[in-house]
Amino acid sequence: FCVYSFEVRLSTPRPPAGRQFASASLREVRKSALEDPRGMAERLAMRHTTDGLDVDAICSTEDQFEAKLRMLPGMQDADLLDKVVLVRVDHNVVKKGVIHDYYRVDATLGTLFSIVERGGRPILMTHVGRPRNKTDGTIVVDEHTSVQPVVDYLERKLHTKFVVPAVRKNEHGIPALDTSINLLLKDLHSRKIGGIYLPNTRWFTGEESKGEEKDDFARQLAGLADIFVNDAFGSWQAHVSTVGITKHLPSYAGYLMQEEIKGISAIINPQRPFLAVVAGSKFDTKVQTLTAIHKRVDHLVLGGVVYNAYV
């Protein structure tokens, strides 16, 4: 899973695996797994390989992996003094308007501290949940997938003020950033506020769109800042807020992102015995990586939907 996330950021983005696998229901997946689990895994892996993602090659080519690590620009190399820094974080911790685990938020505090300590002014953004209906394209904008609980926590934790910009929404979400954000940018520069926290990125029409809507949203985000920092290792989808934005701003890896990537070395060159534990509900996004990891581990422990498909 980690290897796949890393490769997405350093190669040509591809559509989320779930979109390609949408034609098969979970029941069909489980039936196929029962009848021929290895064959099903190989078919799915082949589907991803033809999209330009060869997980086996990534896992087996240690020199290439180390070379890509050396090429990755870190935020420690960026000049942040008096710069507005747009930071993509993975604060997807809100469930029906409530945070049950603050770990992901706390893990990004080092990056935020470094930005402010070096004279930068932060704008944060994250996705929360899945507000988009993939059938009809409508986007539900409500308190269940709002970033406000995260903002409230950051204000209590850091004793500073974060502001969420006003938005105008319709049935297809938020079509564009409201011009009122310009006033917040002035307050950010003058240090009247500690930071800006954008609304849920998946509330915006352009975040998961293609073509003109996608490009327009990327340019709108880029117009807010001088530098982009990606600290959201777990947000692997090639959306505007993770990939599209990098075409318009100097882009760097945050400290949390760098630590996560370093952890991949334990998979590329593991100590023995090597035990892998994989669980979760997103079966289709893990199968191709499981196929590659299975060839390298001594023991593989499965849980959740992934386990159910293989029993």
Side-chain angles (χ1 to χ4, degrees):
F1 192 32
C2 298
V3 178
Y4 165 62
S5 300
F6 174 66
E7 182 66 8
V8 165
R9 285 176 172 80
L10 297 184
S11 63
T12 304
R14 64 171 183 78
R19 187 176 302 166
Q20 300 170 1
F21 197 67
S23 60
S25 67
L26 184 58
R27 181 177 299 175
E28 292 170 332
V29 171
R30 289 175 174 171
K31 179 180 178 182
S32 179
L34 286 170
E35 296 174 349
D36 183 14
R38 182 175 295 276
M40 182 192 65
E42 291 175 351
R43 288 193 297 275
L44 286 173
M46 180 62 70
R47 183 179 302 181
H48 290 287
T49 301
T50 57
D51 283 335
L53 177 67
D54 189 339
V55 179
D56 285 329
I58 297 169
C59 289
S60 61
T61 314
E62 297 178 20
D63 291 341
Q64 291 182 7
F65 174 78
E66 294 296 335
K68 287 181 178 180
L69 272 184
R70 290 192 294 269
M71 293 169 55
L72 186 69
M75 62 175 289
Q76 61 270 23
D77 302 320
D79 177 14
L80 304 183
L81 184 62
D82 296 326
K83 303 289 179 61
V84 175
V85 184
L86 182 62
V87 189
R88 178 56 158 92
V89 291
D90 184 9
H91 289 173
N92 182 26
V93 296
V94 180
K95 303 294 183 183
K96 296 183 178 180
V98 178
I99 300 177
H100 296 285
D101 188 348
Y102 298 96
Y103 177 79
R104 288 193 193 181
V105 183
D106 291 339
T108 59
L109 296 183
T111 291
L112 300 184
F113 175 83
S114 178
I115 291 171
V116 175
E117 192 271 337
R118 293 164 59 193
R121 308 304 297 147
I123 299 178
L124 307 184
M125 58 179 178
T126 186
H127 75 279
V128 176
R130 301 178 182 180
R132 187 188 188 103
N133 186 318
K134 294 185 178 181
T135 302
D136 57 18
T138 58
I139 299 176
V140 178
V141 178
D142 62 19
E143 67 277 5
H144 294 308
T145 55
S146 172
V147 300
Q148 191 60 52
V150 179
V151 172
D152 294 341
Y153 175 71
L154 285 175
E155 289 185 336
R156 295 195 304 269
K157 186 85 171 181
L158 303 178
H159 302 285
T160 190
K161 185 175 180 59
F162 280 85
V163 180
V164 180
V167 295
R168 298 180 182 181
K169 62 181 181 179
N170 56 42
E171 63 178 4
H172 295 291
I174 304 172
L177 288 167
D178 194 273
T179 55
S180 62
I181 197 173
N182 293 323
L183 298 176
L184 294 181
L185 288 173
K186 290 183 179 180
D187 290 342
L188 185 65
H189 279 290
S190 63
R191 300 180 182 272
K192 292 181 179 179
I193 58 176
I196 297 173
Y197 208 124
L198 298 182
N200 184 348
T201 58
R202 291 185 180 176
W203 281 1
F204 289 92
T205 307
E207 169 73 337
E208 301 181 65
S209 298
K210 297 180 179 179
E212 188 173 337
E213 286 183 334
K214 172 184 176 181
D215 294 338
D216 285 348
F217 185 45
R219 286 190 290 268
Q220 289 174 30
L221 289 178
L224 301 176
D226 304 296
I227 290 172
F228 172 67
V229 170
N230 192 341
D231 218 24
F233 182 84
S235 301
W236 54 267
Q237 296 92 336
H239 292 163
V240 169
S241 66
T242 54
V243 175
I245 183 67
T246 62
K247 299 177 181 179
H248 304 281
L249 287 177
S251 302
Y252 302 86
Y255 291 120
L256 178 60
M257 171 74 78
Q258 294 177 53
E259 287 300 315
E260 293 276 15
I261 291 174
K262 289 177 182 177
I264 299 176
S265 61
I267 298 176
I268 302 300
N269 188 24
Q271 296 181 358
R272 301 291 179 177
F274 183 21
L275 168 67
V277 180
V278 182
S281 60
K282 299 176 183 177
F283 176 81
D284 56 301
T285 64
K286 296 180 176 66
V287 171
Q288 80 281 10
T289 308
L290 280 173
T291 303
I293 290 179
H294 181 262
K295 299 175 182 179
R296 302 177 66 84
V297 301
D298 300 297
H299 305 282
L300 179 61
V301 179
L302 303 178
V305 172
V306 179
Y307 169 77
N308 291 338
Y310 276 88
V311 292

